[in-house]
Amino acid sequence: MTTAQLDWSLMIECPNCKEDIDLASGDYDDENFIASAIFSNRWDDLRGHEITCEKCNHEFELESVEY
């Protein structure tokens, strides 16, 4: 038997400082809201989700998720 490993990320660029942000990381998804929406095929639930860039503290909203 062989075991598979799932690695995932959800990358977005901060519109202010251009830093790449992984929304799948614990810092951005500590309550598993993002993971739950992605893995339940409810991507539209993320529209308007507020994000604060850890590098520059800029706040912005997620418009959509593309695959």
Side-chain angles (χ1 to χ4, degrees):
M1 183 183 327
T2 303
T3 303
Q5 181 177 343
L6 174 66
D7 290 320
W8 81 285
S9 61
L10 186 62
M11 302 304 293
I12 191 168
E13 182 180 88
C14 174
N16 185 56
C17 71
K18 308 302 183 200
E19 178 78 8
D20 287 331
I21 300 169
D22 183 3
L23 298 179
S25 73
D27 294 339
Y28 287 99
D29 196 26
D30 59 351
E31 295 180 12
N32 292 319
F33 173 74
I34 294 172
S36 178
I38 292 296
F39 288 107
S40 298
N41 202 26
R42 296 187 331 261
W43 296 7
D44 287 339
D45 289 357
L46 296 175
R47 184 173 290 135
H49 183 69
E50 294 183 5
I51 301 161
T52 302
C53 177
E54 290 182 347
K55 181 175 182 183
C56 71
N57 290 319
H58 179 71
E59 295 180 1
F60 59 100
E61 292 184 357
L62 181 62
E63 293 177 23
S64 65
V65 176
E66 296 181 357
Y67 179 66

